[in-house]
């Protein structure tokens, strides 16, 4: 207490360095220069300061802390939040910023009276940095909360927010995110789906016009049996039942947690049908019949209204964070009356990150690429991705959409030297093919024989431009595709298909 008045929360404990920072001003105004926070050892040795605590947590979570030495100097700056929210997926064509969310975000930012900023903590002379953001009170008007942070519930995901994402996508993106890709033309007839209201597997009379969800997850059979003693729950021929002359197979009473959670979420989002590979494909069908279904899995994911990706689970019984399992805590501190919090990695940072086991499995690659809409569940938060936007739980980043023509025109005005329409057209689909093979070959498959099957859906999407594929190489770019080379330590793998040594598919 000073002069008989109580000291504002979070101010009395600030160290001498942090106490000089005008945090409230820098929520809306750019810093003129980097502010020095001192050496790393000073910050680590000042745990009584709430802002120093945040800096330590943020940098340790976003870097290999062994790279930060005691005498390294740490600096603080800030940038407009919308700029730091720009996402450019490597699988959305390497054309220009017109194919990212940059112009949509900038257009929305110009409508804001005061533009929100985030704090950026950096290790000087090293490419190590982390972000901190203000958690804005939800009572404030919507326009005053744009681009600031949201408070996350560690126990439960905000289903109302997830539903709002779907509504916004439908309203703002119109039919763009509804259109089925090329793979959608190959959707199996009478697709089996889980009726989550009846808790039974049924045959959909016309799945193409039926709105259903799909689940993308890691089976992790051996690890699941070792950790929980549970074996995979699958559908075999002997399990099939009928009711009133129609196929109606009740689900087993005990299901792995991830599947239970996906069923609950499907209902909570207002949908009735869900597709899960182990339950909706008869596992003991003759090889030819089973292969027919596996060959069309790309169409199943491409035609679904939404794909639920359980990205953090090591196996099918791990559960989905925010539904049946707790999430990582959102680290926040009260700094001069403001709630400031650390931030999780961006969607782009997670896109190919091995920190998600889901990103290391071969089958989940095409499930991610071909999903029209994706809800990515991680230990920290949920990410939403469609063909026009990427939104996250922790940031109020939702915006409308400029038309694609508007984006192109605006980009040409900003960067006139870029030919937005055809800068990369002469390369055709080869860059997409090369990127897909590069990421896919860094993943693992339980059965080497599945190497070409598990990416067939992606190749089918590229086929109109790339021609037929021969052992994983496109005929239209066959000579270029032969220029691949194995990484050091790779070796030739023999499979039942006896793949030739000149294809990347025969190497691991």
């Amino acid at each position: 207490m000073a002069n008989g008045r109580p000291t504002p929360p979070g101010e009395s404990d600030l160290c001498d360095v942090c106490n000089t920072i005008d945090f409230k001003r820098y929520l809306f105004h750019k810093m003129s220069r980097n502010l020095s926070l001192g050496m790393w050892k000073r910050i680590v040795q000042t745990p009584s300061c709430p802002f120093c605590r945040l800096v330590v947590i943020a940098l340790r979570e976003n870097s290999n802390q062994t790279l930060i030495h005691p005498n390294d100097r740490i600096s603080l700056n800030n940038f407009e939040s919308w700029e730091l929210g720009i996402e450019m997926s490597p699988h959305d064509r390497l054309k220009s910023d017109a194919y990212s969310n940059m112009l949509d975000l900038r257009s929305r930012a110009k409508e804001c009276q005061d533009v929100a900023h985030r704090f950026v903590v950096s290790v000087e002379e090293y490419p190590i940095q982390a972000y901190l953001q203000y958690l804005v009170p939800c009572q404030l008007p919507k326009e005053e909360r744009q681009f600031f942070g949201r408070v996350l519930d560690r126990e439960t995901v905000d289903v109302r927010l997830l539903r709002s994402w779907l509504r916004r996508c439908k309203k703002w993106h119109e039919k763009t995110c509804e259109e089925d890709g090329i793979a959608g033309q190959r959707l199996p007839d009478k697709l089996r789906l889980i009726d989550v209201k009846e808790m039974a597997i049924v045959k959909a009379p016309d799945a193409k016009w039926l709105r259903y969800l799909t689940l993308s997850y890691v089976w992790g059979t051996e690890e699941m049996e070792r950790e929980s003693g549970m074996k995979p729950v699958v559908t075999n021929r002997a399990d099939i039942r009928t009711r009133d002359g129609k196929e109606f197979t009740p689900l087993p009473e005990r299901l792995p947690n991830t599947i239970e959670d996906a069923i609950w979420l499907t209902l909570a989002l207002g949908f009735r049908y869900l597709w899960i590979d182990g339950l909706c494909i008869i596992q003991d069908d003759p090889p030819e019949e089973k292969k027919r279904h596996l060959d069309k899995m790309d169409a199943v994911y491409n035609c679904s209204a939404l794909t639920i990706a359980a990205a953090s689970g090591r196996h099918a019984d791990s559960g989905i964070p925010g539904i049946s399992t707790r999430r990582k805590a959102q680290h926040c501190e009260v700094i001069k009356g403001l709630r400031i919090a650390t931030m999780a990695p961006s969607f782009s940072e997670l896109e190919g990150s091995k920190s998600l086991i889901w990103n290391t499995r071969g089958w989940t690659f095409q499930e991610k690429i071909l999903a029209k809409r994706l809800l990515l569940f991680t230990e920290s938060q949920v990410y939403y991705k469609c063909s026009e936007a990427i939104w996250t739980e922790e940031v109020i980043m939702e915006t409308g959409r400029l038309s694609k023509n508007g984006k192109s025109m605006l980009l040409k005005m900003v960067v006139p030297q870029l030919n937005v329409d055809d800068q990369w057209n002469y390369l055709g689909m080869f860059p997409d093919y090369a990127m897909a093979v590069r990421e896919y070959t860094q993943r693992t498959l339980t059965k080497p024989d599945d190497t070409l099957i598990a990416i067939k859906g992606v190749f089918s999407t590229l086929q109109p431009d790339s021609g037929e594929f021969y052992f994983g190489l496109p005929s239209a770019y066959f000579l270029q595709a032969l220029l691949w080379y194995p990484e050091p330590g790779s070796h030739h793998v023999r499979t039942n298909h006896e793949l030739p040594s000149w294809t990347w598919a025969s190497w691991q």
Side-chain angles (χ1 to χ4, degrees):
M1 182 174 292
N3 300 324
R5 295 189 300 273
T7 305
E11 187 165 353
S12 60
D13 295 331
L14 288 172
C15 66
D16 292 341
V17 174
C18 296
N19 201 31
T20 63
I21 302 172
D22 190 346
F23 291 97
K24 190 171 183 178
R25 171 179 172 75
Y26 294 137
L27 291 181
F28 299 103
H29 297 88
K30 182 76 178 77
M31 294 180 181
S32 59
R33 58 182 175 81
N34 285 353
L35 300 181
S36 175
L37 298 180
M39 292 184 181
W40 175 244
K41 63 182 178 183
R42 184 204 74 79
I43 298 172
V44 172
Q45 293 169 2
T46 317
S48 60
C49 172
F51 192 70
C52 285
R53 287 198 296 267
L54 276 184
V55 170
V56 171
I57 292 171
L59 286 176
R60 282 179 171 170
E61 286 188 347
N62 288 273
S63 68
N64 182 348
Q65 67 184 74
T66 58
L67 295 176
I68 306 178
H69 302 292
N71 293 331
D72 284 342
R73 303 196 67 83
I74 310 301
S75 63
L76 178 71
N77 209 323
N78 70 341
F79 293 91
E80 292 187 2
S81 180
W82 73 268
E83 291 182 328
L84 300 178
I86 295 172
E87 303 271 11
M88 299 188 71
S89 170
H91 305 293
D92 286 340
R93 302 280 291 162
L94 292 178
K95 289 196 173 181
S96 70
D97 289 336
Y99 290 81
S100 75
N101 59 350
M102 183 194 77
L103 299 175
D104 294 330
L105 295 178
R106 190 179 68 177
S107 175
R108 179 69 182 93
K110 286 184 175 181
E111 299 173 3
C112 298
Q113 183 175 353
D114 296 304
V115 181
H117 285 64
R118 292 184 208 169
F119 296 106
V120 182
V121 184
S122 305
V123 180
E124 294 182 10
E125 299 182 4
Y126 290 97
I128 302 173
Q129 62 183 23
Y131 302 108
L132 302 172
Q133 67 171 347
Y134 169 53
L135 301 183
V136 66
C138 59
Q139 297 85 358
L140 291 179
K142 181 180 178 182
E143 59 271 13
E144 295 182 24
R145 291 183 283 123
Q146 188 74 49
F147 301 124
F148 278 126
R150 270 188 282 250
V151 178
L152 301 184
D153 187 334
R154 184 180 185 185
E155 303 291 337
T156 309
V157 65
D158 186 353
V159 176
R160 291 177 302 174
L161 177 63
L162 307 189
R163 286 199 295 257
S164 75
W165 285 344
L166 293 173
R167 288 196 303 270
R168 288 182 170 113
C169 180
K170 183 177 181 179
K171 176 182 178 180
W172 292 340
H173 307 158
E174 299 173 338
K175 295 182 179 180
T176 305
C177 298
E178 289 290 347
E179 296 174 356
D180 297 332
I182 297 170
Q185 302 170 8
R186 303 167 49 248
L187 190 67
D189 295 331
K190 297 183 178 179
L191 183 70
R192 286 186 176 87
L193 297 169
I194 297 171
D195 184 330
V196 296
K197 289 186 177 180
E198 295 282 357
M199 291 297 285
I201 302 168
V202 299
K203 274 192 175 182
D206 193 348
K208 186 171 180 58
W209 306 109
L210 193 68
R211 287 174 64 80
Y212 65 92
L213 306 191
T214 44
L215 174 65
S216 179
Y217 65 112
V218 175
W219 279 44
T221 302
E222 294 181 2
E223 192 162 2
M224 180 169 65
E225 289 189 36
R226 187 168 55 251
E227 284 190 10
S228 64
M230 189 171 194
K231 295 184 178 181
V233 175
V234 299
T235 302
N236 291 317
R237 273 288 160 197
D239 300 319
I240 301 298
R241 299 289 184 271
T242 59
R243 188 177 76 175
D244 299 330
K246 296 181 180 179
E247 192 172 303
F248 186 91
T249 305
L251 292 174
E253 292 186 7
R254 172 72 171 96
L255 293 169
N257 287 325
T258 300
I259 293 177
E260 288 271 16
D261 292 350
I263 290 173
W264 178 88
L265 183 61
T266 300
L267 272 171
L269 293 176
F271 292 86
R272 181 164 183 170
Y273 297 100
L274 172 67
W275 187 90
I276 301 176
D277 54 3
L279 292 169
C280 297
I281 295 177
I282 306 301
Q283 297 299 303
D284 62 351
D285 263 346
E288 299 78 13
E289 179 67 15
K290 190 175 179 181
K291 182 178 182 300
R292 187 173 67 85
H293 286 284
L294 292 177
D295 285 347
K296 294 185 177 182
M297 278 179 63
D298 59 305
V300 174
Y301 281 94
N302 185 239
C303 290
S304 70
L306 172 73
T307 294
I308 302 166
S312 295
R314 295 188 303 275
H315 50 73
D317 202 36
S318 294
I320 297 179
I323 298 180
S324 67
T325 64
R326 299 179 78 190
R327 305 189 281 187
K328 287 182 178 179
Q330 185 182 38
H331 299 289
C332 66
E333 298 280 356
V334 178
I335 314 292
K336 296 189 176 183
L338 305 172
R339 294 186 71 182
I340 308 294
T342 60
M343 298 188 68
S346 68
F347 184 89
S348 295
E349 289 174 311
L350 286 178
E351 183 101 48
S353 173
K354 297 298 188 294
S355 64
L356 298 180
I357 295 179
W358 181 75
N359 266 341
T360 67
R361 300 297 192 263
W363 278 103
T364 59
F365 176 68
Q366 69 176 7
E367 296 165 11
K368 175 178 74 172
I369 297 300
L370 296 174
K372 286 186 293 193
R373 300 183 185 90
L374 183 73
L375 272 182
L376 186 73
F377 283 79
T378 72
E379 292 180 341
S380 302
Q381 64 169 328
V382 181
Y383 302 76
Y384 175 85
K385 182 182 185 299
C386 62
S387 62
E388 292 291 335
I390 294 176
W391 298 324
T392 68
E393 267 189 289
E394 69 175 355
V395 186
I396 303 171
M397 195 66 70
E398 297 83 8
T399 65
R401 176 186 72 118
L402 294 172
S403 69
K404 289 189 175 180
N405 289 338
K407 283 187 178 184
S408 298
M409 289 175 62
L410 183 56
L411 190 76
K412 287 177 180 178
M413 291 169 62
V414 176
V415 192
Q417 67 268 29
L418 283 180
N419 187 338
V420 176
D421 297 323
D422 60 3
Q423 182 188 9
W424 295 93
N425 284 355
Y426 74 96
L427 292 174
M429 298 293 260
F430 185 72
D432 303 78
Y433 164 81
M435 284 187 296
V437 170
R438 179 173 180 78
E439 179 177 341
Y440 179 66
T441 51
Q442 294 173 1
R443 295 169 174 245
T444 59
L445 287 163
T446 303
K447 301 176 182 178
D449 286 345
D450 290 341
T451 299
L452 290 177
I453 299 175
I455 196 175
K456 185 174 181 180
V458 176
F459 288 168
S460 296
T461 302
L462 301 175
Q463 196 162 337
D465 176 84
S466 302
E468 294 293 328
F469 281 79
Y470 298 103
F471 299 107
L473 275 64
S475 58
Y477 307 101
F478 195 79
L479 294 180
Q480 295 94 321
L482 279 173
L483 295 176
W484 72 272
Y485 57 90
E487 295 285 353
S490 301
H491 61 279
H492 185 240
V493 178
R494 291 191 175 275
T495 68
N496 292 340
H497 302 299
E498 290 298 329
L499 298 174
S501 61
W502 45 260
T503 172
W504 55 264
S506 66
W507 288 73
Q508 282 187 353

